[in-house]
Amino acid sequence: ILAYRDGRGLALARCFVEGKLKNQANLLKYFSKYRRNSDPALFEALQAVCRRLEDTLRELEEIKGENVDEARPQIFSVEGRAAQQYWEAVGLLLGGRAEFSGRAHREAADPVNSALNYGYGILYGQVWGAVMLAGLEPFAGFLHTDRPGKPSLVLDLTEEFRAAVVDRAIVSFFTRGGTLTMEEGKLSAESRREVARRVLERLDGDENYEGKKHRVRTVIQMQSRRLASFLRGEGKYRPFVAGW
């Protein structure tokens, strides 16, 4: 709670967005490496977006302030511009294989956004459990503002894992020819099971973390403990960045 009013809160807010942007860029690099020869035009377009995301990251590094409240508008400005570029690149990757006209958060009517939203819900559950086990208050965030019923810290930490877990699972599914069905404006039961299977499979996949291979769900727990250590004044906090 005290960290919200000092430099720790601002440092964390920047780290959460730094992790998000780096993982978005790395996910595009992951998908583009398989298209270098098969689709050179798409490869170059994705690489161009990665370069723009890296330029945006430099803007993030320059944001200053006494606390997170002073800097939040600038941080969200950086995040918003990066998100627009990233989701346009995802649209290029999908290439007409699935209906996708851009990111829709609530009441999504298309399979891609519906699958992303459902997948994020699964990820939230994983992060929430890890935050609680680390002894942290899930409703006391830094990047996301607090309000009753809003698990701000869970949303904060989730930002680092969205692209590496959910986006990777869902975009891979659609680019490989997968299809999902909608019933009365939402995913069918069978489609929800398929999305859950893909996301849980990714959570059980391996990533490098502190020089060793760990399951992604374990990385989430370790990152939560790292966050708790930083808040206690023990060492620095570094965002999780997935490989590509």
Side-chain angles (χ1 to χ4, degrees):
I1 299 297
L2 293 175
Y4 188 89
R5 295 299 178 188
D6 60 35
R8 287 173 296 170
L10 174 55
L12 286 173
R14 284 171 38 182
C15 279
F16 294 137
V17 175
E18 176 190 346
K20 180 177 185 175
L21 268 60
K22 285 183 175 179
N23 281 314
Q24 287 176 336
N26 281 2
L27 185 63
L28 296 179
K29 292 175 183 177
Y30 169 79
F31 283 116
S32 69
K33 69 183 179 181
Y34 298 109
R35 290 159 175 82
R36 182 189 293 268
N37 297 319
S38 62
D39 194 340
L42 178 57
F43 172 81
E44 290 299 333
L46 295 175
Q47 289 295 307
V49 174
C50 289
R51 289 191 291 270
R52 290 197 293 274
L53 288 175
E54 287 161 0
D55 288 341
T56 305
L57 271 167
R58 284 190 280 274
E59 290 184 47
L60 186 66
E61 294 169 3
E62 296 170 0
I63 296 175
K64 309 294 182 185
E66 291 295 322
N67 55 56
V68 68
D69 282 336
E70 288 186 9
R72 186 180 287 109
Q74 294 171 274
I75 294 173
F76 275 130
S77 173
V78 168
E79 183 199 30
R81 284 181 281 119
Q84 182 177 359
Q85 297 170 47
Y86 171 72
W87 290 113
E88 286 176 359
V90 169
L92 293 176
L93 269 169
L94 293 173
R97 294 182 182 87
E99 177 191 347
F100 183 74
S101 57
R103 182 75 184 103
H105 298 273
R106 295 181 180 178
E107 299 180 1
D110 64 278
V112 176
N113 277 302
S114 296
L116 289 168
N117 291 342
Y118 193 73
Y120 293 147
I122 296 170
L123 179 59
Y124 292 150
Q126 290 290 318
V127 175
W128 197 317
V131 164
M132 294 292 288
L133 287 172
L136 296 167
E137 170 53 67
F139 294 92
F142 300 94
L143 176 64
H144 293 86
T145 54
D146 297 338
R147 68 168 182 260
K150 180 180 178 181
S152 305
L153 188 61
V154 175
L155 297 173
D156 283 356
L157 188 56
T158 297
E159 297 294 353
E160 295 182 19
F161 294 92
R162 287 178 185 268
V165 177
V166 179
D167 298 359
R168 177 167 159 172
I170 300 307
V171 174
S172 293
F173 173 76
F174 282 108
T175 56
R176 292 174 180 173
T179 58
L180 299 174
T181 57
M182 304 286 289
E183 292 179 354
E184 298 180 354
K186 61 182 182 180
L187 291 172
S188 66
E190 182 178 350
S191 292
R192 292 196 299 274
R193 284 193 294 270
E194 181 64 22
V195 170
R197 185 180 72 81
R198 299 276 176 166
V199 173
L200 293 172
E201 186 178 81
R202 177 62 185 138
L203 284 165
D204 284 327
D206 290 335
E207 280 289 343
N208 282 316
Y209 187 85
E210 297 183 342
K212 295 181 180 180
K213 289 277 191 181
H214 296 279
R215 291 192 304 167
V216 175
R217 65 173 73 241
T218 303
V219 172
I220 294 173
Q221 296 168 4
M222 296 169 74
Q223 193 69 350
S224 298
R225 292 197 293 270
R226 174 184 278 179
L227 173 56
S229 295
F230 173 76
L231 290 169
R232 290 194 298 267
E234 302 166 6
K236 294 183 178 181
Y237 182 81
R238 297 187 305 275
F240 163 72
V241 179
W244 57 275

